[in-house]
Coordinates of all heavy atoms in Angstrom, one line a residue:
M1 N 0.8 -1.2 0.0 CA 0.0 0.0 0.0 C 0.9 1.2 0.0 O 1.7 1.4 0.9 CB -0.9 0.0 1.3 CG -1.9 1.0 1.2 SD -3.5 0.5 1.9 CE -3.4 0.8 3.6
I2 N 0.7 2.1 -1.0 CA 1.5 3.3 -1.1 C 0.6 4.5 -0.9 O -0.4 4.6 -1.6 CB 2.2 3.3 -2.5 CG1 3.1 2.1 -2.6 CG2 2.9 4.6 -2.7 CD1 3.6 1.9 -4.0
D3 N 1.0 5.4 -0.1 CA 0.2 6.7 0.1 C -1.2 6.4 0.4 O -2.1 7.1 -0.1 CB 0.3 7.6 -1.1 CG 1.7 8.1 -1.2 OD1 2.5 8.2 -0.2 OD2 2.2 8.4 -2.4
G4 N -1.5 5.3 1.2 CA -2.9 5.1 1.5 C -3.8 4.5 0.3 O -5.0 4.5 0.4
D5 N -3.1 4.1 -0.7 CA -3.8 3.6 -1.9 C -4.6 2.3 -1.5 O -4.0 1.4 -0.9 CB -2.8 3.3 -3.0 CG -3.5 2.7 -4.2 OD1 -4.6 3.1 -4.5 OD2 -2.8 1.9 -4.9
R6 N -5.9 2.3 -1.9 CA -6.7 1.1 -1.6 C -7.2 0.5 -2.7 O -8.3 -0.1 -2.9 CB -7.8 1.6 -0.7 CG -7.4 2.2 0.6 CD -8.5 2.7 1.4 NE -9.4 3.5 0.4 CZ -10.2 4.4 0.7 NH1 -10.2 4.8 2.0 NH2 -10.9 5.1 -0.1
S7 N -6.5 0.6 -3.9 CA -7.0 0.2 -5.2 C -7.3 -1.3 -5.3 O -8.0 -1.8 -6.1 CB -6.0 0.5 -6.3 OG -4.7 -0.1 -6.1
G8 N -6.7 -2.1 -4.4 CA -7.0 -3.5 -4.4 C -8.3 -3.9 -3.8 O -8.7 -5.1 -3.8
T9 N -9.1 -3.0 -3.2 CA -10.3 -3.3 -2.5 C -11.5 -3.4 -3.4 O -12.6 -3.8 -2.9 CB -10.6 -2.2 -1.4 OG1 -10.8 -1.0 -2.1 CG2 -9.4 -2.1 -0.4
F10 N -11.4 -3.1 -4.6 CA -12.5 -3.0 -5.6 C -12.4 -4.3 -6.5 O -11.6 -4.4 -7.3 CB -12.5 -1.8 -6.4 CG -13.7 -1.5 -7.2 CD1 -14.7 -0.8 -6.6 CD2 -13.8 -1.9 -8.5 CE1 -15.9 -0.5 -7.3 CE2 -14.9 -1.7 -9.2 CZ -15.9 -1.0 -8.6
A11 N -13.4 -5.2 -6.4 CA -13.3 -6.5 -7.1 C -14.6 -7.0 -7.7 O -15.0 -8.1 -7.3 CB -12.6 -7.5 -6.2
W12 N -15.3 -6.1 -8.5 CA -16.5 -6.6 -9.1 C -16.2 -6.9 -10.5 O -15.4 -6.3 -11.2 CB -17.5 -5.5 -9.0 CG -18.1 -5.4 -7.7 CD1 -18.6 -6.4 -6.8 CD2 -18.2 -4.2 -6.9 NE1 -19.0 -5.9 -5.7 CE2 -18.8 -4.5 -5.7 CE3 -18.0 -2.9 -7.2 CZ2 -19.2 -3.7 -4.7 CZ3 -18.2 -2.0 -6.2 CH2 -18.8 -2.3 -5.0
S13 N -16.9 -7.8 -11.1 CA -16.7 -8.2 -12.5 C -18.0 -7.9 -13.3 O -19.0 -7.7 -12.7 CB -16.4 -9.7 -12.6 OG -17.6 -10.4 -12.3
A14 N -17.8 -7.8 -14.6 CA -18.9 -7.6 -15.5 C -20.0 -8.6 -15.3 O -21.2 -8.4 -15.5 CB -18.4 -7.4 -17.0
A15 N -19.6 -9.9 -15.0 CA -20.6 -11.0 -14.8 C -21.5 -10.7 -13.7 O -22.7 -11.0 -13.8 CB -19.8 -12.3 -14.6
E16 N -21.1 -10.0 -12.7 CA -21.9 -9.7 -11.5 C -23.0 -8.6 -11.9 O -24.1 -8.6 -11.4 CB -21.1 -9.1 -10.4 CG -20.3 -10.2 -9.7 CD -19.4 -9.6 -8.6 OE1 -18.3 -9.1 -8.9 OE2 -19.8 -9.6 -7.4
V17 N -22.6 -7.8 -12.9 CA -23.5 -6.7 -13.3 C -24.6 -7.3 -14.2 O -25.7 -6.8 -14.1 CB -22.7 -5.7 -14.2 CG1 -23.7 -4.7 -14.7 CG2 -21.7 -5.0 -13.3
A18 N -24.4 -8.4 -14.9 CA -25.3 -8.9 -15.8 C -26.5 -9.5 -15.1 O -27.6 -9.7 -15.7 CB -24.7 -10.1 -16.6
L19 N -26.5 -9.8 -13.8 CA -27.5 -10.4 -13.0 C -28.6 -9.4 -12.7 O -28.5 -8.9 -11.6 CB -27.0 -11.2 -11.8 CG -25.9 -12.2 -12.2 CD1 -25.3 -12.7 -10.9 CD2 -26.5 -13.3 -13.0
G20 N -29.6 -9.1 -13.5 CA -30.7 -8.4 -13.1 C -30.4 -6.9 -12.8 O -31.1 -6.3 -12.0
S21 N -29.5 -6.3 -13.4 CA -29.2 -4.9 -13.1 C -29.8 -3.9 -14.1 O -30.3 -4.4 -15.1 CB -27.7 -4.7 -13.1 OG -27.1 -5.1 -14.3
A22 N -29.7 -2.7 -13.8 CA -30.3 -1.6 -14.6 C -29.6 -1.5 -15.9 O -28.4 -1.8 -16.1 CB -30.3 -0.3 -13.8
P23 N -30.3 -1.0 -17.0 CA -29.6 -0.7 -18.3 C -28.5 0.3 -18.0 O -28.6 1.2 -17.3 CB -30.8 -0.1 -19.1 CG -32.0 -0.5 -18.5 CD -31.7 -0.7 -17.0
G24 N -27.3 0.1 -18.7 CA -26.2 0.9 -18.5 C -25.3 0.6 -17.3 O -24.2 1.1 -17.2
A25 N -25.6 -0.5 -16.6 CA -24.9 -0.9 -15.4 C -23.5 -1.4 -15.9 O -22.5 -1.1 -15.2 CB -25.6 -1.9 -14.6
A26 N -23.4 -2.2 -17.0 CA -22.2 -2.7 -17.4 C -21.2 -1.5 -17.9 O -20.1 -1.6 -17.6 CB -22.4 -3.7 -18.5
G27 N -21.8 -0.6 -18.5 CA -21.0 0.6 -19.0 C -20.4 1.3 -17.7 O -19.3 1.8 -17.8
L28 N -21.3 1.5 -16.8 CA -20.9 2.2 -15.5 C -19.7 1.4 -14.8 O -18.7 2.0 -14.4 CB -22.0 2.4 -14.6 CG -21.6 3.1 -13.2 CD1 -21.0 4.5 -13.4 CD2 -22.9 3.2 -12.4
L29 N -19.9 0.1 -14.7 CA -18.9 -0.7 -14.0 C -17.6 -0.7 -14.8 O -16.5 -0.5 -14.3 CB -19.3 -2.1 -13.9 CG -18.4 -3.0 -13.1 CD1 -18.1 -2.5 -11.7 CD2 -18.8 -4.4 -13.0
G30 N -17.7 -0.8 -16.1 CA -16.5 -0.7 -17.0 C -15.7 0.7 -16.8 O -14.6 0.6 -16.7
A31 N -16.5 1.7 -16.8 CA -15.9 3.1 -16.5 C -15.3 3.2 -15.1 O -14.2 3.7 -15.0 CB -17.0 4.1 -16.7
V32 N -15.9 2.6 -14.1 CA -15.4 2.7 -12.8 C -14.1 1.9 -12.7 O -13.1 2.3 -12.2 CB -16.5 2.1 -11.7 CG1 -15.8 1.9 -10.4 CG2 -17.6 3.1 -11.6
L33 N -14.1 0.7 -13.3 CA -12.9 -0.2 -13.3 C -11.8 0.5 -14.0 O -10.6 0.4 -13.6 CB -13.2 -1.5 -13.9 CG -14.2 -2.4 -13.1 CD1 -14.5 -3.6 -13.8 CD2 -13.5 -2.7 -11.7
R34 N -12.1 1.1 -15.2 CA -11.0 1.8 -15.9 C -10.4 2.9 -15.1 O -9.2 3.1 -15.0 CB -11.5 2.3 -17.2 CG -10.5 3.1 -18.0 CD -11.0 3.7 -19.3 NE -9.9 4.5 -19.9 CZ -10.2 5.4 -20.8 NH1 -11.3 5.6 -21.3 NH2 -9.1 6.1 -21.3
L35 N -11.3 3.8 -14.5 CA -10.8 4.9 -13.8 C -10.0 4.4 -12.5 O -8.9 5.0 -12.2 CB -11.9 5.9 -13.4 CG -11.4 7.2 -12.7 CD1 -10.4 8.0 -13.5 CD2 -12.6 8.1 -12.5
R36 N -10.5 3.4 -11.8 CA -9.7 2.9 -10.7 C -8.3 2.4 -11.1 O -7.3 2.6 -10.4 CB -10.5 1.8 -10.0 CG -11.7 2.4 -9.1 CD -12.2 1.3 -8.1 NE -11.2 0.9 -7.2 CZ -10.9 1.6 -6.1 NH1 -11.5 2.8 -5.8 NH2 -10.1 1.1 -5.2
S37 N -8.3 1.7 -12.3 CA -7.0 1.2 -12.8 C -6.1 2.3 -13.1 O -4.9 2.2 -12.7 CB -7.3 0.3 -14.0 OG -6.1 -0.1 -14.6
E38 N -6.6 3.3 -13.7 CA -5.7 4.4 -14.1 C -5.3 5.2 -12.9 O -4.2 5.7 -12.8 CB -6.4 5.3 -15.2 CG -6.5 4.6 -16.5 CD -6.9 5.4 -17.7 OE1 -6.9 6.6 -17.5 OE2 -7.4 4.9 -18.7
L39 N -6.2 5.4 -11.9 CA -5.9 6.0 -10.7 C -4.8 5.3 -9.9 O -3.9 5.9 -9.4 CB -7.1 6.1 -9.8 CG -6.9 7.0 -8.5 CD1 -6.4 8.3 -8.6 CD2 -8.3 7.0 -7.8
A40 N -4.9 4.0 -9.9 CA -3.9 3.2 -9.2 C -2.5 3.3 -9.9 O -1.5 3.3 -9.2 CB -4.3 1.6 -9.2
A41 N -2.5 3.5 -11.2 CA -1.2 3.6 -11.9 C -0.6 4.9 -11.8 O 0.5 5.2 -12.0 CB -1.5 3.3 -13.4
H42 N -1.5 5.9 -11.5 CA -1.0 7.3 -11.3 C -0.5 7.5 -9.9 O -1.2 7.6 -8.9 CB -2.2 8.3 -11.5 CG -1.8 9.7 -11.5 ND1 -1.3 10.3 -12.5 CD2 -1.9 10.7 -10.6 CE1 -1.0 11.6 -12.3 NE2 -1.4 11.8 -11.1
R43 N 0.8 7.4 -9.7 CA 1.5 7.3 -8.4 C 1.7 8.6 -7.8 O 2.1 8.7 -6.6 CB 2.8 6.5 -8.5 CG 2.7 5.1 -9.1 CD 1.6 4.2 -8.5 NE 1.5 4.2 -7.1 CZ 0.5 3.7 -6.4 NH1 -0.6 3.4 -7.0 NH2 0.5 3.8 -5.0
A44 N 1.5 9.7 -8.4 CA 1.7 11.0 -7.9 C 0.8 11.2 -6.6 O -0.4 10.7 -6.7 CB 1.4 12.1 -8.9
P45 N 1.2 11.8 -5.5 CA 0.2 12.0 -4.5 C -0.9 12.9 -4.9 O -0.7 13.9 -5.5 CB 1.1 12.7 -3.4 CG 2.5 12.9 -4.0 CD 2.5 12.4 -5.4
L46 N -2.1 12.5 -4.5 CA -3.3 13.3 -4.7 C -3.9 13.5 -3.3 O -4.3 12.5 -2.7 CB -4.3 12.6 -5.7 CG -3.7 12.3 -7.0 CD1 -4.6 11.4 -7.8 CD2 -3.5 13.6 -7.8
P47 N -4.2 14.7 -3.0 CA -4.8 14.9 -1.6 C -6.1 14.3 -1.4 O -6.5 13.9 -0.3 CB -4.9 16.5 -1.6 CG -4.3 17.1 -2.7 CD -3.9 16.0 -3.7
D48 N -6.9 14.2 -2.5 CA -8.3 13.7 -2.4 C -8.4 12.3 -3.0 O -9.6 11.9 -3.4 CB -9.3 14.7 -3.0 CG -9.4 16.0 -2.2 OD1 -9.3 16.0 -1.0 OD2 -9.5 17.0 -2.9
R49 N -7.3 11.5 -3.1 CA -7.4 10.2 -3.7 C -8.4 9.3 -2.9 O -9.2 8.6 -3.6 CB -6.0 9.5 -3.6 CG -6.0 8.1 -4.3 CD -4.6 7.5 -4.1 NE -3.6 8.2 -4.9 CZ -3.2 7.9 -6.1 NH1 -3.8 6.8 -6.7 NH2 -2.3 8.5 -6.7
A50 N -8.4 9.3 -1.6 CA -9.3 8.6 -0.8 C -10.8 8.8 -1.2 O -11.6 8.0 -1.2 CB -9.0 8.6 0.7
V51 N -11.1 10.1 -1.3 CA -12.5 10.6 -1.6 C -12.9 10.0 -2.9 O -13.9 9.4 -3.2 CB -12.6 12.1 -1.7 CG1 -13.9 12.5 -2.2 CG2 -12.3 12.7 -0.2
A52 N -11.9 10.1 -3.9 CA -12.2 9.5 -5.2 C -12.5 8.0 -5.2 O -13.4 7.5 -5.8 CB -11.1 9.8 -6.2
E53 N -11.6 7.3 -4.5 CA -11.7 5.8 -4.3 C -13.0 5.5 -3.6 O -13.7 4.5 -4.0 CB -10.5 5.2 -3.6 CG -9.2 5.4 -4.4 CD -8.0 5.0 -3.7 OE1 -8.0 5.0 -2.4 OE2 -7.0 4.7 -4.3
D54 N -13.4 6.1 -2.6 CA -14.7 5.8 -1.9 C -15.8 6.0 -2.8 O -16.8 5.3 -2.8 CB -14.8 6.7 -0.7 CG -13.8 6.4 0.5 OD1 -13.3 5.3 0.5 OD2 -13.7 7.3 1.4
Q55 N -15.8 7.1 -3.6 CA -17.0 7.4 -4.5 C -16.9 6.5 -5.7 O -18.1 6.0 -6.1 CB -16.9 8.8 -5.0 CG -17.2 9.8 -3.8 CD -18.4 9.5 -3.0 OE1 -19.5 9.3 -3.5 NE2 -18.3 9.4 -1.7
L56 N -15.8 6.0 -6.1 CA -15.8 4.9 -7.2 C -16.4 3.6 -6.7 O -17.1 2.9 -7.3 CB -14.4 4.8 -7.7 CG -13.9 5.9 -8.6 CD1 -12.3 5.8 -8.8 CD2 -14.7 6.0 -9.9
D57 N -16.1 3.4 -5.4 CA -16.6 2.2 -4.7 C -18.2 2.3 -4.7 O -18.9 1.3 -5.0 CB -16.1 2.0 -3.3 CG -14.7 1.4 -3.3 OD1 -14.1 0.9 -4.3 OD2 -14.0 1.5 -2.2
A58 N -18.7 3.5 -4.4 CA -20.1 3.7 -4.2 C -20.7 3.5 -5.6 O -21.9 2.9 -5.8 CB -20.4 5.1 -3.7
L59 N -20.1 4.0 -6.7 CA -20.6 3.9 -8.0 C -20.6 2.5 -8.5 O -21.5 2.0 -9.1 CB -19.8 4.8 -9.0 CG -20.0 6.2 -8.9 CD1 -18.9 7.1 -9.7 CD2 -21.4 6.6 -9.4
G60 N -19.6 1.7 -8.1 CA -19.4 0.3 -8.4 C -20.6 -0.5 -7.8 O -21.2 -1.4 -8.3
R61 N -20.8 -0.1 -6.5 CA -21.9 -0.8 -5.8 C -23.3 -0.6 -6.5 O -24.2 -1.5 -6.6 CB -22.0 -0.4 -4.3 CG -21.0 -1.0 -3.4 CD -21.2 -0.8 -1.9 NE -21.2 0.6 -1.6 CZ -20.1 1.3 -1.4 NH1 -18.9 0.8 -1.4 NH2 -20.2 2.6 -1.0
Q62 N -23.5 0.6 -7.0 CA -24.7 0.9 -7.7 C -24.8 0.2 -9.0 O -25.9 -0.3 -9.4 CB -24.9 2.4 -7.9 CG -25.2 3.2 -6.6 CD -26.3 4.2 -6.9 OE1 -27.3 4.0 -7.7 NE2 -26.2 5.3 -6.2
A63 N -23.6 0.0 -9.6 CA -23.7 -0.7 -10.9 C -24.1 -2.2 -10.8 O -24.7 -2.7 -11.6 CB -22.3 -0.6 -11.6
V64 N -23.7 -2.8 -9.6 CA -24.0 -4.2 -9.5 C -25.2 -4.4 -8.6 O -25.7 -5.5 -8.5 CB -22.7 -5.0 -8.8 CG1 -21.5 -4.9 -9.6 CG2 -22.5 -4.5 -7.4
S65 N -25.9 -3.4 -8.2 CA -27.1 -3.5 -7.5 C -28.3 -3.9 -8.3 O -28.3 -3.5 -9.5 CB -27.4 -2.1 -6.8 OG -28.7 -2.2 -6.2
S66 N -29.1 -4.8 -7.8 CA -30.3 -5.2 -8.6 C -31.4 -4.2 -8.5 O -32.5 -4.3 -9.2 CB -30.7 -6.6 -8.1 OG -31.1 -6.5 -6.7
S67 N -31.3 -3.2 -7.6 CA -32.3 -2.2 -7.5 C -32.1 -1.1 -8.5 O -31.1 -0.9 -9.1 CB -32.4 -1.6 -6.1 OG -31.2 -1.1 -5.8
A68 N -33.2 -0.2 -8.7 CA -33.1 0.8 -9.6 C -32.0 1.9 -9.1 O -31.9 2.0 -7.9 CB -34.5 1.6 -9.6
P69 N -31.3 2.4 -10.1 CA -30.3 3.4 -9.7 C -30.8 4.6 -9.0 O -31.9 5.1 -9.3 CB -29.6 3.7 -11.0 CG -30.6 3.5 -12.0 CD -31.4 2.3 -11.5
D70 N -30.1 5.1 -8.0 CA -30.4 6.4 -7.3 C -29.7 7.5 -8.1 O -28.5 7.7 -7.9 CB -29.9 6.3 -5.8 CG -30.2 7.5 -5.1 OD1 -30.7 8.5 -5.6 OD2 -29.9 7.5 -3.9
T71 N -30.5 8.2 -8.9 CA -29.9 9.2 -9.8 C -29.1 10.2 -9.0 O -28.0 10.7 -9.4 CB -31.0 9.9 -10.6 OG1 -31.7 8.9 -11.3 CG2 -30.5 10.9 -11.5
E72 N -29.7 10.8 -7.9 CA -29.0 11.7 -7.1 C -27.7 11.3 -6.6 O -26.6 12.0 -6.5 CB -29.9 12.3 -6.0 CG -31.0 13.2 -6.5 CD -30.4 14.4 -7.3 OE1 -29.5 15.0 -6.8 OE2 -30.9 14.7 -8.4
S73 N -27.7 10.0 -6.1 CA -26.5 9.4 -5.6 C -25.4 9.3 -6.7 O -24.2 9.5 -6.4 CB -26.8 8.1 -4.9 OG -25.6 7.5 -4.5
L74 N -25.8 8.8 -7.8 CA -24.9 8.6 -9.0 C -24.2 10.0 -9.3 O -23.0 10.1 -9.4 CB -25.6 8.1 -10.2 CG -26.0 6.7 -10.2 CD1 -27.0 6.4 -11.4 CD2 -24.9 5.7 -10.3
R75 N -25.1 11.0 -9.4 CA -24.5 12.3 -9.8 C -23.7 13.0 -8.7 O -22.7 13.6 -9.0 CB -25.6 13.3 -10.2 CG -26.4 12.8 -11.5 CD -27.4 13.7 -12.0 NE -27.8 13.4 -13.3 CZ -29.0 13.3 -13.7 NH1 -30.0 13.7 -12.9 NH2 -29.4 12.9 -14.9
H76 N -24.1 12.7 -7.4 CA -23.3 13.2 -6.3 C -21.8 12.6 -6.3 O -20.9 13.3 -6.2 CB -24.0 12.9 -5.0 CG -23.2 13.5 -3.8 ND1 -23.2 14.8 -3.4 CD2 -22.6 12.8 -2.9 CE1 -22.5 14.9 -2.4 NE2 -22.1 13.7 -2.0
S77 N -21.8 11.2 -6.4 CA -20.6 10.5 -6.5 C -19.7 11.0 -7.7 O -18.5 11.2 -7.5 CB -20.8 9.1 -6.6 OG -21.3 8.5 -5.4
L78 N -20.4 11.2 -8.8 CA -19.6 11.7 -10.0 C -19.0 13.1 -9.7 O -17.8 13.4 -10.0 CB -20.5 11.8 -11.2 CG -19.9 12.4 -12.4 CD1 -18.7 11.6 -12.9 CD2 -20.9 12.5 -13.5
L79 N -19.8 14.0 -9.0 CA -19.3 15.3 -8.7 C -18.1 15.2 -7.8 O -17.1 16.0 -8.0 CB -20.4 16.1 -8.1 CG -20.1 17.5 -7.6 CD1 -19.7 18.4 -8.8 CD2 -21.3 18.1 -6.8
L80 N -18.1 14.4 -6.8 CA -17.0 14.3 -5.9 C -15.8 13.7 -6.5 O -14.6 14.2 -6.3 CB -17.4 13.4 -4.7 CG -18.4 14.1 -3.7 CD1 -18.8 13.0 -2.6 CD2 -18.0 15.3 -3.1
V81 N -16.0 12.7 -7.4 CA -14.8 12.2 -8.1 C -14.2 13.2 -9.1 O -13.0 13.4 -9.1 CB -15.2 10.9 -8.9 CG1 -14.1 10.5 -9.9 CG2 -15.6 9.8 -8.0
A82 N -15.1 13.9 -9.8 CA -14.6 15.0 -10.7 C -13.9 16.1 -9.9 O -12.9 16.6 -10.4 CB -15.7 15.5 -11.5
S83 N -14.3 16.4 -8.7 CA -13.7 17.4 -7.9 C -12.3 17.0 -7.4 O -11.4 17.7 -7.4 CB -14.5 17.7 -6.7 OG -15.8 18.4 -7.0
A84 N -12.3 15.7 -7.1 CA -11.0 15.1 -6.5 C -10.0 14.9 -7.7 O -8.8 15.1 -7.4 CB -11.2 13.8 -5.9
L85 N -10.4 14.6 -8.9 CA -9.5 14.2 -9.9 C -9.5 15.1 -11.1 O -8.7 14.8 -12.1 CB -9.8 12.7 -10.3 CG -9.8 11.7 -9.2 CD1 -10.2 10.3 -9.9 CD2 -8.4 11.6 -8.5
G86 N -10.4 16.0 -11.3 CA -10.6 16.7 -12.5 C -9.4 17.5 -12.9 O -9.3 17.7 -14.2
S87 N -8.5 17.8 -12.1 CA -7.3 18.6 -12.5 C -6.1 17.7 -12.9 O -5.1 18.2 -13.4 CB -6.8 19.5 -11.4 OG -6.4 18.7 -10.3
V88 N -6.3 16.4 -12.9 CA -5.3 15.5 -13.3 C -5.5 15.1 -14.8 O -6.4 14.3 -15.1 CB -5.3 14.2 -12.4 CG1 -4.2 13.3 -12.8 CG2 -5.2 14.6 -11.0
S89 N -4.7 15.8 -15.7 CA -5.0 15.5 -17.1 C -4.8 14.1 -17.6 O -5.4 13.6 -18.5 CB -4.1 16.4 -17.9 OG -2.7 16.1 -17.7
A90 N -3.9 13.3 -16.8 CA -3.7 11.9 -17.2 C -4.9 11.1 -17.0 O -5.0 10.0 -17.6 CB -2.5 11.4 -16.4
L91 N -5.9 11.5 -16.2 CA -7.1 10.8 -15.9 C -8.3 11.3 -16.6 O -9.4 10.8 -16.4 CB -7.3 10.8 -14.4 CG -6.2 10.2 -13.6 CD1 -6.6 10.4 -12.1 CD2 -6.0 8.7 -13.8
S92 N -8.1 12.3 -17.5 CA -9.3 13.0 -18.0 C -10.1 12.2 -19.0 O -11.4 12.2 -19.0 CB -8.8 14.3 -18.8 OG -8.0 14.0 -19.9
A93 N -9.5 11.3 -19.8 CA -10.3 10.4 -20.7 C -11.1 9.5 -19.8 O -12.3 9.2 -20.2 CB -9.4 9.6 -21.7
A94 N -10.5 8.8 -18.8 CA -11.3 7.9 -18.0 C -12.3 8.6 -17.2 O -13.5 8.0 -17.0 CB -10.3 7.1 -17.1
L95 N -12.1 9.8 -16.8 CA -13.1 10.6 -16.1 C -14.3 10.9 -17.0 O -15.5 10.9 -16.6 CB -12.5 11.8 -15.4 CG -13.3 12.7 -14.5 CD1 -13.9 11.8 -13.4 CD2 -12.5 13.8 -14.0
T96 N -14.0 11.3 -18.2 CA -15.0 11.6 -19.2 C -15.9 10.3 -19.4 O -17.1 10.4 -19.5 CB -14.4 12.1 -20.5 OG1 -13.7 13.3 -20.3 CG2 -15.4 12.3 -21.6
E97 N -15.2 9.2 -19.6 CA -16.0 7.9 -19.7 C -16.9 7.7 -18.6 O -18.0 7.3 -18.8 CB -15.0 6.8 -19.9 CG -15.6 5.4 -20.2 CD -14.6 4.3 -20.2 OE1 -13.5 4.5 -20.6 OE2 -15.1 3.1 -20.0
L98 N -16.4 7.9 -17.4 CA -17.3 7.8 -16.2 C -18.5 8.8 -16.2 O -19.6 8.3 -15.9 CB -16.4 8.0 -14.9 CG -17.2 7.8 -13.7 CD1 -17.6 6.4 -13.4 CD2 -16.4 8.4 -12.5
R99 N -18.2 10.0 -16.6 CA -19.4 11.0 -16.7 C -20.4 10.5 -17.7 O -21.6 10.5 -17.4 CB -18.9 12.3 -17.1 CG -20.0 13.3 -17.2 CD -19.5 14.6 -17.8 NE -19.0 14.5 -19.1 CZ -19.7 14.3 -20.2 NH1 -21.0 14.3 -20.2 NH2 -19.1 14.2 -21.4
V100 N -20.0 10.0 -18.9 CA -20.9 9.5 -19.9 C -21.7 8.3 -19.4 O -22.9 8.2 -19.5 CB -20.1 9.2 -21.2 CG1 -21.0 8.5 -22.2 CG2 -19.6 10.5 -21.8
A101 N -21.0 7.4 -18.7 CA -21.7 6.2 -18.1 C -22.7 6.6 -17.0 O -23.7 6.0 -17.0 CB -20.6 5.2 -17.6
V102 N -22.4 7.5 -16.2 CA -23.3 7.9 -15.2 C -24.5 8.6 -15.8 O -25.6 8.2 -15.4 CB -22.6 8.9 -14.1 CG1 -23.7 9.6 -13.3 CG2 -21.7 8.2 -13.2
E103 N -24.3 9.4 -16.8 CA -25.4 10.1 -17.4 C -26.3 9.1 -18.1 O -27.5 9.2 -18.2 CB -25.0 11.1 -18.3 CG -24.5 12.4 -17.6 CD -25.5 13.0 -16.5 OE1 -26.6 13.1 -16.9 OE2 -25.0 13.2 -15.4
A104 N -25.7 8.1 -18.7 CA -26.5 7.0 -19.4 C -27.3 6.2 -18.5 O -28.4 5.7 -18.8 CB -25.5 6.1 -20.2
M105 N -26.8 6.0 -17.3 CA -27.5 5.2 -16.3 C -28.5 5.9 -15.4 O -29.5 5.4 -15.0 CB -26.5 4.5 -15.3 CG -27.2 3.4 -14.5 SD -25.9 2.4 -13.7 CE -27.0 1.5 -12.6
A106 N -28.2 7.2 -15.3 CA -29.0 8.0 -14.4 C -30.4 8.3 -15.2 O -30.4 8.5 -16.4 CB -28.4 9.4 -14.1
L107 N -31.4 8.4 -14.4 CA -32.8 8.7 -15.0 C -32.8 10.2 -15.3 O -32.2 11.0 -14.7 CB -33.9 8.4 -13.9 CG -33.9 6.9 -13.5 CD1 -34.8 6.8 -12.4 CD2 -34.2 6.0 -14.6
P108 N -33.5 10.6 -16.3 CA -33.7 12.0 -16.8 C -34.3 12.7 -15.6 O -35.1 12.2 -14.8 CB -34.6 11.9 -18.0 CG -34.7 10.6 -18.3 CD -34.3 9.7 -17.2
R109 N -33.9 14.0 -15.5 CA -34.5 14.8 -14.4 C -35.9 15.2 -14.7 O -36.3 15.4 -15.7 CB -33.6 16.1 -14.2 CG -32.4 15.7 -13.6 CD -31.5 17.0 -13.3 NE -30.3 16.6 -12.7 CZ -29.5 17.4 -12.0 NH1 -29.9 18.7 -11.9 NH2 -28.4 17.0 -11.4

């Protein structure tokens, strides 16, 4: 564990998502996994890394949940992840993918 990195704690697979989940769940889980992987590879210290990891875990839990997605929770988690990582250009493509996946899964307002 380096600098409090907890990247090994997230272990959901696409197969878990397929079991009765909401439309867009596989895309959300894929985006979460990609951003977690890229975040783990980004070894520079980030003051809000733990916040981003916690919110990625929350998004992953929603992706594998069999219940309807909580739109406000999805968007809140995305906002916190974007706030924590938005200034890291190396993560911008993965963060954009996450935003698109959350919007695809979230219900219209």
